[in-house]
Amino acid sequence: MKLFYAPGACSIGIHVLLEEIGKPYDAEAVNLREGAQFKPDFTAVNPKSKVPTLQRDDGAVLTEYPAIAVWLASTFPEAKLLPKDADSLARALEYTDFAVATLHMQGFSRMFRPSNYAPTESDHEAVKAKGEEIFAKGLGIFDKALEGKDWLVGDFSFADSALFYVCFWWAGRLGKTLPKNVAAHYARMNARPAVQRVLKAEGLA
């Protein structure tokens, strides 16, 4: 397998899952700041021009965080990343999609790409503030979901990797405070050997 990633981007969560699985894989960094995602070498692999992108052993390419996470968890059951029952699986998908589609795409994107939402520069601070509000509210929902639990669906699963990457942005990059239960989850994630290996590999430790 080959993971196309950008250091510290949302792909860090998929990188963690690959390390949790422990099977051989290659990792290729894509320089988003230099626009490498728009160049022919990468668009030939993923015309969506985004990471994470996973090229499987058979050459087929998977895109979109939830799809890659579920495929990895399903394909390597020995890693115990896939919830055992339908309800837990549905919850894991729910949490993953919430992290990706709401905290990331609705919250974080407003904070760091305000021009995508308001062409007038005078409106950018209001857009950023709205993004931070969305992100913080989402963390509050995750905090409630983690009450009395170490992991989102009881046992560790692919969903925890999605919460990890948004927490990495909020606490690790921005230095903002996480709610109590989410902070404890983030600490548990950072203590996992797989996470430590990924942070080192991506130059973030």
Side-chain angles (χ1 to χ4, degrees):
M1 297 178 289
K2 184 175 185 178
L3 173 69
F4 294 86
Y5 75 100
C10 57
S11 50
I12 193 172
I14 297 299
H15 205 166
V16 166
L17 294 181
L18 284 165
E19 281 295 320
E20 291 281 355
I21 289 166
K23 299 294 184 182
Y25 70 93
D26 294 323
E28 182 175 319
V30 179
N31 194 323
L32 303 182
R33 291 184 179 180
E34 293 182 0
Q37 69 273 33
F38 301 114
K39 295 180 179 178
D41 284 350
F42 186 72
T43 57
V45 178
N46 183 2
K48 296 176 181 177
S49 298
K50 58 193 280 192
V51 295
T53 298
L54 184 71
Q55 191 168 43
R56 305 186 319 194
D57 289 341
D58 63 3
V61 173
L62 281 173
T63 65
E64 308 302 335
Y65 193 106
I68 297 171
V70 170
W71 183 83
L72 286 171
S74 301
T75 303
F76 302 98
E78 65 277 11
K80 298 181 180 179
L81 301 171
L82 190 74
K84 297 175 183 177
D85 60 87
D87 186 66
S88 295
L89 175 57
R91 292 299 179 192
L93 284 167
E94 179 182 24
Y95 291 134
T96 300
D97 189 62
F98 186 56
V100 175
T102 300
L103 277 74
H104 177 174
M105 298 307 299
Q106 294 295 324
F108 202 76
S109 63
R110 280 179 167 81
M111 294 164 63
F112 282 83
R113 299 284 188 275
S115 60
N116 290 346
Y117 297 88
T120 305
E121 191 170 349
S122 60
D123 294 327
H124 287 183
E125 290 306 313
V127 171
K128 290 179 184 179
K130 182 62 177 177
E132 187 165 340
E133 178 188 329
I134 292 169
F135 205 109
K137 180 180 178 181
L139 288 175
I141 291 171
F142 274 116
D143 198 61
K144 187 173 181 179
L146 282 164
E147 283 181 2
K149 296 185 292 186
D150 286 347
W151 308 110
L152 284 168
V153 294
D155 295 325
F156 183 78
S157 75
F158 64 83
D160 294 292
S161 72
L163 178 55
F164 167 72
Y165 93 72
V166 294
C167 288
F168 172 76
W169 287 351
W170 188 257
R173 283 192 155 183
L174 300 179
K176 292 181 179 291
T177 302
L178 294 166
K180 185 176 100 170
N181 296 325
V182 174
H185 179 276
Y186 184 57
R188 282 189 287 273
M189 287 297 298
N190 277 305
R192 295 181 76 87
V195 172
Q196 294 173 8
R197 290 193 297 269
V198 168
L199 291 173
K200 184 176 180 181
E202 295 197 7
L204 303 167

